[in-house]
Every structure is written in structure tokens, then in C-alpha cells.
């Protein structure tokens, strides 16, 4: 295969389904390489959202009229699609939230506050997104538990020996990212889950970046909780998932109180509804949840094997061509890596790189990527980050490399 080889996917046909891609930015055809922040949305998902508001809009689980029945059925259908997408035992183990951040906060609050006490430990890693750090810090402040952090190796791998050493009989929760949004590292979650369970801890997996790239099987991983967001897997913003094992979800207190999460309310005593409703107080994000179901169909229609193959091809091509750029330094060079490339170029600040690329129609993210402790670990202020999705092409990467070479020749001090 030549370095231009890619999968049998018809990328042009896929690109046609994403209206936002077909525009000029600063006089150039847009190249969208900020997919780890949010991916773009295909027609089918946009149409699902538009159809919901045009035809079915009604509150769920309460009306008996036709629209309420249709919206309830479509919302619950999405729950079934998510359950099957991650191979959960049953749809009731799927809770809809605002996204990964809210899912992790839900566990830290509804599980953590009930079951952790002073002296207990929460074990995370040095490559976590702030949303998998701060909720645990809040929990530790509230309960007197301690936060422990698994160190990251120079190439962006987790130090698994250190991880095993940090597990103790006081570890109650291990919360680890599946794929790092900054380094691209794919962590050995199954191994981590086994070690956590052997130590008597529960494991939460932050699958925000994994859901669009890797087949997730919660039974095979044997994780207790798993969180991800729709908007990073071709779905809408504002919705995501907390998966939890039934036995754990049933033991947890509610996260928020309000309508829909109760069995019976009186001023003397309130009893709570069954899972998943116990954790979905108030009117949820109905339209987006329904469109999320369509995004899952879109991903499954392509298939994770094809997605992975295409993204691996893009990553390999980018790795081999970016190397030629004078002063190029990648951050995160694990052998187990998804299509995320964080980098710096000597003599050019990452913010300047981002702006100079934007001026050429190329969208990347710059900064700390909500992983400030990881930036401290690598003794850098930030990086520029290119992250690829199914609609990206080899020729876009070539244009990106040409743009970077041009920037280096003009602006490098
Ligand atoms: N965990 C990881 C690994 C993430 O990459 C993100 C978002 C989150 C959690 C939070 O997800 P949310 O949907 O609740 O916001 N990551 C990024 C990023 O890399 N650039 O912008 C958002």
C-alpha cells in the first residue's frame, strides 16, 4: 500500500453528508481538524432534530396524547440504541445526561458522597481532562478522601507499574480516561478494570474520546461506570450518557430532585422512581437524545472497524509527513494511539500557530485542552492539536503540512 492508501470508505460520499464542511473560511476551503473538541453533524442527525421539532415535540413520560407517545417512544428507543452500542445488559443501565462532564459529576456526587469517607482514596491519572479531576477533588474536600494520581510516561503511556503500586485497600474508585484527548493514548482499560476490582475498587471509564473511535463493550471491559458525550461522535451537543451497572445505580442516591424521578411525593416523605428515571429529574433534552440515537446509527452504519482503519491511515500519513517540518515536536507518541496529534513547533507559540492556521482555513485547537496538569507534566504551556474524523482526507493533511511549512518559513524566530 502506498502512503496515500486508505480504506474502502467512500469519503467523498461521507463528506457530502456534512453540510458544514462545504464552506470557505478566510477565503479557503475549510479543513476541520478540531474533532476531539466537537465533531461535525451529518444531515441525518440534523434532520432527526428538525423532524422532532417539526412533527413530534412533546414532553415525555407524562402525556397520553399522540405526540407525547411518539416522543416518549423515540426517546426510549435512543436508550435502547445506546445500550446496544455499548453492549450494556439492559437499557435501564443507560442514563441520559448533558454529557461526559455531568455523568462524572453524577457518580462523584451520588455514589461518592454516599460510599466514601475520610481516608478512602480515589485514583485517577495524570492525563485526565479537568472533568475527570475536579469532581473528584470536590468529593475529596467533602468527604476527607484522598486523590491519588497515576503518573504518565514521556511517550504518553500510563505508568502501569505505578498504577498497581498506587492501588490500595483504601482505593474506592478508579476513574481513568479511555483515550486521552491531548495525547491520543489508548489506555489498557480491561487490565486497569481487573486490577481495580482485585483491589476492591469500582472503575469509571471516561470514554468521551473513545466512543467515536473504538468499539466499546462495557461487559467485556467489565467497567462499573462509563461516560461519553454525543457531540464527539457526530451527534448533537447537550446530551451524553452515564452507563452504570444496575446493582450500583440502585444503591446510589438520586443526583437531583424534581419531576419524573419520583414514585410518590408527600411533605412527609418522597420515594424515588426506578432506574434510569431516578437519575433523570426534570424535562430532559428530548430532541437531542433522539438525534443522538440517529448519530449512533450513523456510526454503526460505517462500522468501528472502518472508522478505525481510516483514522489510523490518516494518523500514519500525518505522522510521516509532519516529521519533515523543522522544529516539529509531537507530545504523545504512544504505540497505542488514536488520531489525535498534539504538537509544538520551536519558536512559534501554539496560539499563534492556531491563528495562522485559521487564517488559512484550517481549524485546530490550541492551549491546554482542559488538561493543565498534563501540560505541567510535560513542562509546556500548551500545544496545537489536530484531531481527525471520518470525513477528513489524506489531501487535507497534505494541505495542513504545506500550511505549517509556509508558517514556519515566514514566522519562525
Ligand atoms: N473527557 C475527555 C477525555 C474529553 O476529551 C472531554 C472533552 C470531556 C471529558 C468533557 O466532555 P464534555 O462533552 O462534557 O465537555 N474534551 C474537549 C477537548 O478536547 N476539547 O474540547 C473539549
Amino acid at each position: 500500500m502506498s502512503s496515500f492508501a486508505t480504506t474502502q470508505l467512500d469519503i467523498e460520499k461521507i463528506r457530502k453528508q456534512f453540510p458544514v464542511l462545504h464552506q470557505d473560511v478566510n477565503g479557503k476551503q475549510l479543513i476541520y481538524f478540531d474533532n476531539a473538541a466537537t465533531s461535525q453533524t451529518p444531515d441525518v442527525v440534523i434532520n432527526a432534530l428538525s423532524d422532532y421539532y417539526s412533527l413530534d415535540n412533546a414532553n415525555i413520560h407524562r402525556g397520553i396524547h399522540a405526540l407525547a407517545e411518539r416522543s416518549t417512544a423515540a426517546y426510549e428507543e435512543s436508550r435502547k440504541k445506546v445500550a446496544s452500542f455499548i453492549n450494556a445488559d439492559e437499557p435501564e443501565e443507560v442514563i441520559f445526561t448533558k454529557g461526559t462532564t455531568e455523568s462524572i459529576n453524577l457518580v462523584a456526587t451520588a455514589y461518592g458522597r454516599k460510599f466514601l469517607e475520610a481516608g478512602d482514596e480515589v485514583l485517577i491519572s495524570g492525563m485526565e481532562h479537568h472533568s475527570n479531576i475536579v469532581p473528584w477533588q470536590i468529593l475529596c474536600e467533602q468527604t476527607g478522601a484522598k486523590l491519588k494520581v497515576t503518573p504518565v510516561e514521556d511517550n504518553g503511556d500510563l505508568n502501569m507499574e505505578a498504577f498497581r503500586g498506587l492501588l490500595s485497600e483504601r482505593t474506592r474508585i478508579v476513574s481513568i480516561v479511555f483515550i486521552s484527548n491531548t495525547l491520543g493514548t489508548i489506555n489498557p482499560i480491561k487490565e486497569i478494570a481487573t486490577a481495580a476490582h482485585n483491589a476492591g475498587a469500582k472503575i469509571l471509564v471516561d470514554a468521551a474520546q473513545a466512543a467515536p473511535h473504538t468499539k466499546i463493550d462495557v461487559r467485556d471491559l467489565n467497567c462499573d461506570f462509563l461516560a461519553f458525550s454525543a457531540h464527539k461522535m457526530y451527534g448533537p451537543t447537550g446530551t451524553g450518557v452515564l452507563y452504570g451497572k444496575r446493582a450500583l445505580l440502585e444503591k446510589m442516591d438520586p443526583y437531583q430532585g424534581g419531576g419524573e424521578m419520583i414514585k410518590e411525593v408527600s411533605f412527609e416523605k418522597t420515594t424515588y422512581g426506578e432506574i434510569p428515571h431516578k437519575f433523570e429529574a426534570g424535562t430532559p433534552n428530548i430532541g437531542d437524545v433522539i438525534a443522538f440515537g440517529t448519530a449512533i446509527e450513523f456510526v454503526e452504519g460505517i462500522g468501528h472497524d472502518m472508522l478505525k482503519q481510516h483514522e489510523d491511515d490518516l494518523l500514519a500519513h500525518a505522522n510521516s509527513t509532519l516529521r519533515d517540518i523543522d522544529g516539529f515536536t509531537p507530545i504523545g507518541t504512544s504505540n497505542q494511539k488514536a488520531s489525535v496529534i498534539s504538537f509544538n513547533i520551536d519558536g512559534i507559540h501554539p496560539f499563534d500557530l492556531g491563528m495562522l492556521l485559521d487564517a488559512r482555513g484550517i481549524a485546530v485547537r490550541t492551549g491546554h485542552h482542559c488538561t493543565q496538569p498534563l501540560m505541567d507534566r510535560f513542562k509546556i504551556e500548551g500545544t496545537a492539536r489536530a484531531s481527525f474524523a471520518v470525513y477528513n482526507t489524506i489531501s487535507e493533511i497534505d494541505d495542513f503540512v504545506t500550511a505549517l511549512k509556509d508558517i514556519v518559513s515566514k514566522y519562525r524566530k
Side-chain angles (χ1 to χ4, degrees):
M1 283 209 305
S2 82
S3 62
F4 289 89
T6 180
T7 49
Q8 292 79 38
L9 280 180
D10 185 345
I11 303 299
E12 277 317 306
K13 201 168 147 201
I14 288 174
R15 288 181 67 81
K16 286 205 180 92
Q17 299 171 45
F18 288 82
V20 78
L21 297 178
H22 307 285
Q23 62 175 296
D24 285 356
V25 168
N26 295 321
K28 298 272 190 187
Q29 162 62 47
L30 167 67
I31 294 180
Y32 187 79
F33 283 171
D34 195 17
N35 296 287
T38 199
S39 54
Q40 297 300 345
T41 320
D43 281 329
V44 279
V45 174
I46 299 170
N47 292 343
L49 202 53
S50 162
D51 286 351
Y52 169 72
Y53 285 110
S54 307
L55 301 169
D56 297 333
N57 184 24
N59 214 327
I60 55 169
H61 299 140
R62 51 194 99 192
I64 49 151
H65 58 82
L67 267 58
E69 281 182 6
R70 290 208 296 262
S71 62
T72 303
Y75 182 88
E76 290 305 326
E77 193 53 37
S78 274
R79 200 188 303 280
K80 288 184 198 147
K81 284 178 195 165
V82 172
S84 140
F85 182 69
I86 59 173
N87 198 27
D89 274 328
E90 42 179 345
E92 288 74 16
E93 293 179 323
V94 171
I95 295 155
F96 287 116
T97 63
K98 268 197 312 181
T100 309
T101 302
E102 189 176 45
S103 299
I104 298 172
N105 276 279
L106 195 165
V107 177
T109 306
Y111 183 88
R113 276 204 228 161
K114 185 164 186 183
F115 294 108
L116 268 69
E117 53 187 38
D120 285 343
E121 292 167 8
V122 177
L123 180 53
I124 60 170
S125 87
M127 67 174 86
E128 300 308 321
H129 187 277
H130 295 165
S131 62
N132 200 22
I133 301 173
V134 186
W136 304 116
Q137 288 174 322
I138 295 172
L139 173 68
C140 289
E141 272 169 29
Q142 288 166 340
T143 58
K146 276 190 274 188
L147 189 67
K148 298 273 175 113
V149 184
T150 304
V152 175
E153 309 261 34
D154 288 345
N155 71 347
D157 279 341
L158 269 190
N159 182 330
M160 287 301 290
E161 207 184 310
F163 170 74
R164 286 205 178 76
L166 283 163
L167 279 170
S168 81
E169 73 280 0
R170 294 308 301 261
T171 313
R172 296 285 171 266
I173 297 173
V174 172
S175 194
I176 299 277
V177 69
F178 198 154
I179 297 182
S180 160
N181 63 317
T182 302
L183 304 168
T185 309
I186 304 172
N187 286 317
I189 293 297
K190 218 170 149 172
E191 196 183 326
I192 290 170
T194 306
H197 288 147
N198 288 343
K202 304 293 178 222
I203 175 165
L204 184 153
V205 178
D206 171 354
Q209 298 294 339
H213 299 291
T214 303
K215 174 73 194 134
I216 294 173
D217 182 333
V218 290
R219 279 191 260 181
D220 183 52
L221 294 173
N222 194 16
C223 54
D224 299 296
F225 301 104
L226 181 130
F228 59 105
S229 304
H231 71 98
K232 293 186 198 289
M233 49 171 293
Y234 312 107
T237 54
T239 188
V241 164
L242 174 69
Y243 157 82
K245 284 182 180 165
R246 173 181 275 276
L248 292 173
L249 293 175
E250 283 180 341
K251 279 201 287 185
M252 285 156 60
D253 286 338
Y255 175 50
Q256 295 178 328
E260 281 305 294
M261 50 75 70
I262 52 92
K263 200 175 272 164
E264 248 173 291
V265 178
S266 73
F267 286 121
E268 289 68 41
K269 185 174 168 55
T270 290
T271 49
Y272 307 128
E274 303 294 327
I275 64 161
H277 307 294
K278 183 169 96 176
F279 295 106
E280 291 181 6
T283 301
N285 191 351
I286 305 165
D288 288 314
V289 165
I290 292 169
F292 182 13
T294 307
I296 288 175
E297 284 174 348
F298 173 81
V299 169
E300 287 179 335
I302 295 170
H304 270 111
D305 289 350
M306 294 292 249
L307 280 173
K308 188 172 171 352
Q309 186 57 55
H310 178 60
E311 290 170 12
D312 285 352
D313 289 347
L314 294 175
L315 181 68
H317 185 68
N319 278 336
S320 68
T321 47
L322 285 165
R323 222 181 280 145
D324 297 341
I325 295 169
D326 201 21
F328 177 84
T329 314
I331 320 292
T333 51
S334 171
N335 288 333
Q336 300 298 318
K337 209 180 135 135
S339 55
V340 173
I341 300 185
S342 270
F343 63 95
N344 276 313
I345 293 184
D346 297 343
I348 308 181
H349 193 279
F351 286 126
D352 293 337
L353 263 182
M355 281 167 60
L356 293 163
L357 285 166
D358 180 56
R360 290 158 175 77
I362 302 172
V364 299
R365 186 172 168 186
T366 60
H368 53 63
H369 315 294
C370 300
T371 54
Q372 274 182 340
L374 188 65
M375 298 295 106
D376 294 343
R377 152 71 180 83
F378 284 98
K379 298 190 174 55
I380 50 178
E381 235 179 278
T383 75
R385 181 187 69 184
S387 49
F388 308 131
V390 65
Y391 39 70
N392 290 129
T393 65
I394 296 279
S395 94
E396 285 181 318
I397 291 173
D398 290 339
D399 290 347
F400 172 57
V401 173
T402 305
L404 283 173
K405 285 183 178 163
D406 181 46
I407 290 168
V408 167
S409 74
K410 289 197 174 109
Y411 296 96
R412 192 154 160 211
K413 288 183 200 105

